[in-house]
Structures are given as structure tokens and as C-alpha cells.
Amino acid sequence: MKNSFLLSIASTFIEKHGFDMHRLTFVFPNRRAGVFFQRYLAHTAGKPVLAPQIITINQLFDSLSSLQQADSIDLLFKLYSTFRKVMAENSQAEGENLLSTFDDFLFWGRIILSDFNDVDTHLVNAATLFSNISDIKDIELRFSHLGEAQQESFRQFVDGFKKDAENSMRRNFIHFWRALLPLYNEFTARLLEEGKAYMGMLQRKVIETLQRDIYNDDRLQELKEHYYVFVGFNAITPVEKQLMLLLQKIQKADFYWDYYSPFLCDPDNRASMFMTENKELFPSKYELQHLPSYIVPPTIHLMQVASSIGEAWQVSSLLRQLADKSPLSTETAVVLPDEKLLEPILGVIPDAVKSVNVTMGHSLRTTPVYSLVQHLSELQILQKNKGQKQLFYYKPVLALLNHPYLSAADNENLQLRMQKGNITFLSADFFKDNELLTLVFTHLSTPLQTVEYLQKILFAIQADKTKEQKEYIYQALTVINRLGDILNTYKDICFEVASFYNILLNLLANITVPFEGEPLEGVQIMGMLESRGIDFENVILTDVNDETLPNRSSSNSFIPYDLRWAYLLPTPEREDAIYAYNFYRLIANAGEVWLIQNTAANDISSGEVSRYVHQLQYQYHLNIDTQQISCLPTIS
């Protein structure tokens, strides 16, 4: 077992607290780090001890709140219902038809929820942020508390709206901006009344409550029952910072930061953006023992391949080579900045790798169950009436008959019959001799009928599927069932079948399927965020391209960049610093690192290597072994 940051924490606290470890609560930014820490505790103690409580920061906030987190689907419908109410109460001719249907609202609703979450996690005053930008003088007074640079940023934003004020796009934006404050107030009030919240709102309410009555006897006694040790954080949000400060104030908290690598404490590296403030505000009580030396930098290989499939095969080849040297353990990690590579990599894991633990999610959008629902939606949308019959268009019919979940049902070669008869539209009678296909090719007239229809089909096809496929189907059924409940709850929101499918597919596309496995066995396959706090001997990192590391895709937001900067809300610069920290922390204590670059250029990617590789070469003068892989490796 190699020396690592978590091992040094475990060693130090076992020595300092011994059999009193159960009195401590260790708080981590993610669950996976806590699992590894528990393993190091058991190894270090060498004898049975009562284990401390190990939780994530979100679990800590949950434990301090009486509010319940609402699920994402419920939040979207509640927000839309509240939005319609607010717009009706504040209707103006220029904006009455903005986002009038839930179809129109769905995309923007997610952006609004994300913005509201940012407002709350950063403790921003919503009343000043969502001020009427047409009242320039009033706003200048409201923003007088900001620093000079922040005020200048805001003035530039306002000047943009002074010019060409009659532009229709600007008028619509201003009208929508005016609705955001009443929408925020009405929406949060409604959630509070129901005892629910989204995560940012829950965290903000915890902080406001603690700041108001932390010295209340009951509240103080509750907090004094625990001593909190925060481990491995970096870019903490203002609500997290306030919680740490409050616990520090009553002497019930300690803090440990992983800034020991030369990469992470270099002021010229964005990875160190948060280091100085964190260490000054939250010093550590103990000096850690057995820290990694960080004297010898890792051996780094850059492997250039010309496709995503090539990347997957290269990962497989590297795992086989490592397994040939010695049995692979948790000291080897495959880290995927882009989840799209997960399924191709799982498909080519070599036989020599006996155990794999996946600790990242997989997008439902790339699974067979999503394409099945997509084809079923096209089947219903493209059908036409002929007299008393509903006829199905041949293109979605063929797509369904060829779908891997339904292809076995075509035992009478219906496709050949369609081709010979040159049939363009088919009635349901065409499929009457097959029970499953009879179920599939059914006319629907309402969204609730569609819910029942999809439930029956997914239940019918899941019996002979693999464990992974059953998990995909289960996740899809969960969304469908939840959407059915929502339709019964919000009966004032009406949909056509086509609209229902559009909403369902949108929701399914945003679902991530969690994988479960034994976290302390075998090769670890994870995303960048899951790797926080954990050190590995061997690291294989895919998609080392400049579009991925750092990820430069800007999040959609109604809050313009200048206002985000003025109010210290998340900006691309902050996200870059987080990516830099995660990358350099991951490789800092590794013995050997393989960086796999996809050199294929397309509309999305330039094929250029990540700027971090250039930084390693030219700023830190590391020798990187570069190999161009021109053919797929042989896998056994």
C-alpha cells in the first residue's frame, strides 16, 4: 500500500486519538474518498477500533436540515407551475407568450434551477442580483457595496443595455429578467411550505439557521456531540465556507488540505487558486505523518491515437500489460474525463483483469433503452388516420423491428413481408400474431396511456437482459413512473402524446445510470471528480485533449458573465482552476501515468493535446515519452 494523502490522515489520527476515533466525524467532498479512507484506517490501526463516522459534505448538510431534497422532475414541474403564476400576475404584452408550454420551458427551466442553485450556494442577495436593469440609477446605488473592479464590470454590463434598448431580443430579456426575482421568491416559498428544497436552497437555509441561533442551547448541544474533520477539499462554495467557519468558531472542526505537491502549491499554476485562502482561514491542528515525498515526479507517457475506439483498445492493452506484471489492485485507476468512453472500455476489458470497480455514472442517452423509447415516440408521432384505423409509418416500424430489444420478436420475418408488399403504412393487424409486437404497435391518445404502454413494454423485455441492461431499463422505468405521478399531480398542465414524448426523452437524456461494485477490489474506473483525494500508483487518463482537459464547454445561464464575475459566482476561470487542481493532484503521487490523446479532428474537437501536457513539458520541464499508435493492439 503506497503512502498517500488519505493514509497520512489515517496514520496521524490513529496515533493522536486511538480508541477515541469513534468520537470524530470525517467529512469528504465525495463518497469514494471516504471508502478508501476507511480502508486505510483499518490497515493503520492494526487492531479493532470503533470506527469514526465518515460522511460527505452533502450528507452533513442533510443532517443539519429539516428540509427534504425534491427530485429533479418534481422541481421542474413546480418551477413551471410557479412560472405560469408569476407571468400571469405580471403579464405584459411583450412577454405574455414567453415559454407558454412546458415543452418550451423544459430547457430553460433547467437553466433557471441551475442559476437559483448558484445564487443560494454563493449566498447572493437575489433582490440585488435580479434587479430591474432598466433602472440604472437605482442599480448603481444597490451595487455600491461592490469593489471598484466589480462595479466597473457591472457598468459594462449595464451599458450594453443602454444601447439599442428597443431591440426586441433585449426587451424580451429585460422582461424575463424582471420575472426572475418574483419567480425565485415564489418558488422558494412554495418549496419551504412543502418542506422541500433543492440542494443549494437546503444548504443556504442551514447556514441562515445556524447563523441565527447557533448559540441556542439545543442547537449548540447537537453540534457539540460531534467533532468534524474536513479532508481533501479545494474549491469550497460560500455555504461550505460558512459552515466550516461556524464549526471552527465553536471549536468543533479541523481541516486538512492536499496541497503538498509542487504542482499544487505553484502560484503560477491555476491549480493553486484556492490554496492560500483555504490554508489561512482553516489551518490544520496536526502536522501530518508519512506524507508522500513528491520528490520524484511520475513517469509520464503520452499515447496518441486517432479515434475514440482506439482509445478504448489502448486502455485495454495497457491493463493487460500491467496485469502481466502483477495482479491488478486498487492501485490502478482508469480516469475518464468524458463518460462516453465508459461503455467502449468496459466492452474490451481483457480477461487478465479479474475485477473492475466502476465509480462513475453512464448517460442513459447512449443506451438501447433510450433509443427504444425514441423509436416508440417516432412511431406514435408519424402515424396517420385512415378511416377508423391508425396506420404506422414504415420507417419507425423498421427501426423497432431491428432494435436489439425487439429483433427476436420478428420470428416471421415481417420486414421481408413489408419489402415484398412495398408497404408504406401498416395497421396494428399486421403484428397480431406476436404478443410483444401487438403490445408495441398500439395506438395511444393520451400521455397517461403512454405511461402505461411504456411500462408494459419495458417490463416485457427485461426478463432475459444482462445486469447492466436491467439497470438501464430500471432507471428508465423510474423516470416514466415518476412522470406518471407528476401528470396525476399537475392535472392543469396538459400535453399531447408528442409533447409527452419530447419531455420524457429530454428527462431520460439527462439521467446518469450509477454503477455499483466492490470499491476496494480491482481496477478503479472513474471520472475526474470521483478521483478527488485518492492516490494511485498507476493512472491511465483518457481524452487528454484541450477541449476536455479543461472542459471549456460553457454552462448556459441567464446571469451574464459580467454579473457572475461581479457577484463571485462560478465563471470559466474558476472551472479551469478546478480542472487543473484535479488533474495535477491525480498525477502528483502516481508512479506511472499514461495520457491518451485522441488526435482525430472534427466539428467538436481540434485533436490538439491538452494545455496541461504543454505545461508539464515547458513549465515543469518533464520528459514525456510520446508514442503515436497507428494500429489497434492485439487483445487477449
Side-chain angles (χ1 to χ4, degrees):
M1 182 182 297
K2 67 184 282 133
N3 275 357
S4 72
F5 173 65
L6 293 181
L7 180 60
S8 66
I9 299 284
S11 301
T12 301
F13 274 85
I14 284 290
E15 179 177 316
K16 300 293 183 182
H17 291 266
F19 287 99
D20 289 333
M21 288 289 288
H22 65 283
R23 301 181 185 278
L24 305 176
T25 297
F26 286 85
V27 186
F28 292 89
N30 61 320
R31 176 180 171 274
R32 189 59 52 200
V35 173
F36 273 76
F37 176 70
Q38 194 165 24
R39 175 198 187 192
Y40 292 138
L41 278 178
H43 173 81
T44 305
K47 56 185 177 181
V49 295
L50 290 175
Q53 186 178 12
I54 297 174
I55 60 175
T56 66
I57 186 69
N58 285 345
Q59 289 173 327
L60 175 56
F61 273 105
D62 280 336
S63 70
L64 297 172
S65 175
S66 60
L67 297 174
Q68 177 186 0
Q69 279 194 67
D71 67 69
S72 59
I73 300 175
D74 191 27
L75 284 171
L76 282 168
F77 275 87
K78 275 186 172 61
L79 184 65
Y80 176 61
S81 178
T82 308
F83 175 79
R84 291 203 308 173
K85 178 183 176 184
V86 168
M87 296 305 285
E89 292 173 351
N90 301 276
S91 63
Q92 297 181 16
E94 60 192 358
E96 287 176 353
N97 295 319
L98 284 176
L99 308 184
S100 57
T101 69
F102 189 80
D103 274 14
D104 297 330
F105 180 80
L106 188 57
F107 173 77
W108 302 107
R110 281 203 178 86
I111 296 174
I112 295 171
L113 282 176
S114 177
D115 284 344
F116 285 178
N117 193 72
D118 282 347
V119 166
D120 286 335
T121 56
H122 289 74
L123 299 174
V124 171
N125 186 319
T128 59
L129 176 63
F130 297 130
S131 295
N132 183 347
I133 55 180
S134 61
D135 297 334
I136 305 301
K137 292 298 181 184
D138 177 56
I139 292 178
E140 287 178 351
L141 292 175
R142 288 174 182 261
F143 282 78
S144 60
H145 66 285
L146 299 177
E148 184 176 340
Q150 292 169 297
Q151 288 190 48
E152 178 58 31
S153 177
F154 175 72
R155 289 190 195 98
Q156 292 176 8
F157 167 68
V158 171
D159 287 342
F161 278 89
K162 286 181 179 179
K163 301 172 184 176
D164 195 18
E166 296 304 313
N167 180 286
S168 61
M169 185 177 293
R170 294 182 188 275
R171 288 201 309 272
N172 282 336
F173 178 86
I174 291 172
H175 175 74
F176 194 84
W177 184 269
R178 288 172 181 167
L180 287 178
L181 180 59
L183 178 60
Y184 173 86
N185 291 335
E186 186 83 21
F187 181 56
T188 53
R190 177 175 179 176
L191 288 173
L192 278 177
E193 188 177 342
E194 297 177 7
K196 295 182 178 180
Y198 48 88
M199 177 51 77
M201 174 184 167
L202 181 150
Q203 293 177 338
R204 183 172 195 155
K205 294 304 177 185
V206 166
I207 295 303
E208 290 174 351
T209 301
L210 289 176
Q211 288 176 332
R212 185 174 61 248
D213 64 356
I214 192 170
Y215 289 108
N216 171 284
D217 289 341
D218 293 338
R219 173 69 69 177
L220 196 58
Q221 185 58 38
E222 178 186 346
L223 289 174
K224 280 188 173 180
E225 291 177 358
H226 300 271
Y227 187 87
Y228 298 95
V229 183
F230 293 86
V231 178
F233 288 81
N234 177 45
I236 57 177
T237 63
V239 286
E240 293 168 347
K241 182 188 295 185
Q242 288 303 313
L243 179 60
M244 292 176 180
L245 287 170
L246 286 165
L247 293 172
Q248 184 187 58
K249 188 174 182 180
I250 60 173
Q251 299 181 341
K252 300 300 292 184
D254 195 5
F255 311 89
Y256 294 88
W257 311 93
D258 190 354
Y259 293 125
Y260 296 96
S261 161
F263 298 137
L264 301 176
C265 55
D266 178 4
D268 292 327
N269 190 328
R270 276 192 171 175
S272 67
M273 176 180 282
F274 309 102
M275 178 187 67
T276 302
E277 181 182 25
N278 287 340
K279 293 179 72 173
E280 287 180 354
L281 280 178
F282 305 107
S284 304
K285 182 177 180 180
Y286 304 124
E287 183 175 344
L288 296 183
Q289 304 174 5
H290 311 298
L291 277 171
S293 63
Y294 296 113
I295 295 174
V296 180
T299 300
I300 301 177
H301 310 273
L302 175 63
M303 316 196 80
Q304 299 174 323
V305 297
S307 69
S308 296
I309 297 301
E311 286 190 86
W313 281 101
Q314 194 58 48
V315 169
S316 182
S317 177
L318 290 170
L319 290 177
R320 182 175 57 81
Q321 293 172 34
L322 288 169
D324 288 344
K325 294 178 182 178
S326 62
L328 291 181
S329 66
T330 54
E331 295 296 324
T332 296
V334 178
V335 182
L336 313 180
D338 188 341
E339 65 182 18
K340 292 178 183 176
L341 268 182
L342 177 59
E343 197 159 337
I345 287 175
L346 291 178
V348 294
I349 295 293
D351 294 338
V353 178
K354 303 302 181 184
S355 181
V356 172
N357 178 51
V358 181
T359 61
M360 65 184 297
H362 179 51
S363 173
L364 202 65
R365 186 167 198 159
T366 61
T367 65
V369 70
Y370 180 87
S371 63
L372 177 65
V373 175
Q374 194 171 39
H375 294 325
L376 291 172
S377 72
E378 292 167 356
L379 181 75
Q380 297 295 327
I381 293 169
L382 296 177
Q383 67 177 309
K384 75 171 186 177
N385 298 325
K386 186 176 181 181
Q388 299 297 317
K389 284 191 173 184
Q390 299 292 325
L391 300 180
F392 300 109
Y393 188 48
Y394 80 98
K395 284 189 176 180
V397 171
L398 286 175
L400 286 166
L401 292 177
N402 284 303
H403 192 277
Y405 286 177
L406 298 177
S407 57
D410 186 11
N411 52 16
E412 295 183 14
N413 206 346
L414 298 175
Q415 297 180 61
L416 184 60
R417 289 173 55 194
M418 290 171 59
Q419 184 179 4
K420 285 183 176 180
N422 196 25
I423 303 173
T424 305
F425 284 91
L426 305 88
S427 71
D429 295 338
F430 193 81
F431 310 97
K432 64 182 179 180
D433 295 330
N434 185 289
E435 184 178 354
L436 177 56
L437 295 183
T438 299
L439 175 60
V440 169
F441 295 99
T442 303
H443 169 65
L444 306 170
S445 57
T446 69
L448 285 174
Q449 285 180 350
T450 306
V451 169
E452 186 178 355
Y453 164 79
L454 292 171
Q455 289 169 337
K456 289 179 179 178
I457 292 175
L458 295 184
F459 275 122
I461 65 175
Q462 68 176 345
D464 60 343
K465 300 299 180 286
T466 65
K467 180 181 177 182
E468 289 77 13
Q469 290 172 335
K470 285 182 177 179
E471 182 64 25
Y472 299 150
I473 294 170
Y474 170 78
Q475 293 294 333
L477 275 170
T478 300
V479 175
I480 292 165
N481 295 341
R482 189 71 187 98
L483 198 49
D485 294 338
I486 292 289
L487 291 174
N488 284 315
T489 302
Y490 297 92
K491 294 182 178 179
D492 57 324
I493 301 177
C494 300
F495 308 111
E496 298 295 330
V497 171
S499 297
F500 171 83
Y501 269 117
N502 181 46
I503 294 163
L504 174 60
L505 288 168
N506 198 303
L507 294 172
L508 290 177
N510 286 276
I511 294 296
T512 299
V513 181
F515 282 83
E516 294 183 1
E518 173 49 54
L520 299 179
E521 288 185 7
V523 174
Q524 305 291 302
I525 300 180
M526 57 180 61
M528 287 291 287
L529 288 179
E530 286 84 5
S531 70
R532 286 177 296 177
I534 312 173
D535 293 313
F536 301 97
E537 180 65 29
N538 304 308
V539 173
I540 301 172
L541 183 62
T542 64
D543 285 304
V544 185
N545 290 73
D546 207 44
E547 292 80 13
T548 311
L549 285 174
N551 189 329
R552 291 186 290 177
S553 59
S554 57
S555 300
N556 291 305
S557 174
F558 284 112
I559 305 173
Y561 173 85
D562 292 309
L563 286 185
R564 282 188 162 273
W565 194 89
Y567 271 98
L568 306 180
L569 289 167
T571 59
E573 292 83 359
R574 183 179 184 274
E575 298 303 312
D576 280 0
I578 293 172
Y579 266 89
Y581 175 84
N582 290 334
F583 172 80
Y584 283 104
R585 200 220 60 78
L586 175 65
I587 71 170
N589 195 31
E592 198 158 11
V593 177
W594 291 266
L595 307 177
I596 304 179
Q597 173 197 357
N598 184 348
T599 59
N602 52 45
D603 292 340
I604 300 174
S605 172
S606 65
E608 293 294 327
V609 72
S610 169
R611 66 192 70 178
Y612 298 149
V613 174
H614 293 309
Q615 194 171 16
L616 289 170
Q617 290 175 316
Y618 302 118
Q619 182 172 335
Y620 298 114
H621 307 292
L622 297 186
N623 291 320
I624 298 179
D625 169 39
T626 302
Q627 305 174 41
Q628 290 187 342
I629 311 298
S630 57
C631 61
L632 295 180
T634 302
I635 306 299
S636 60

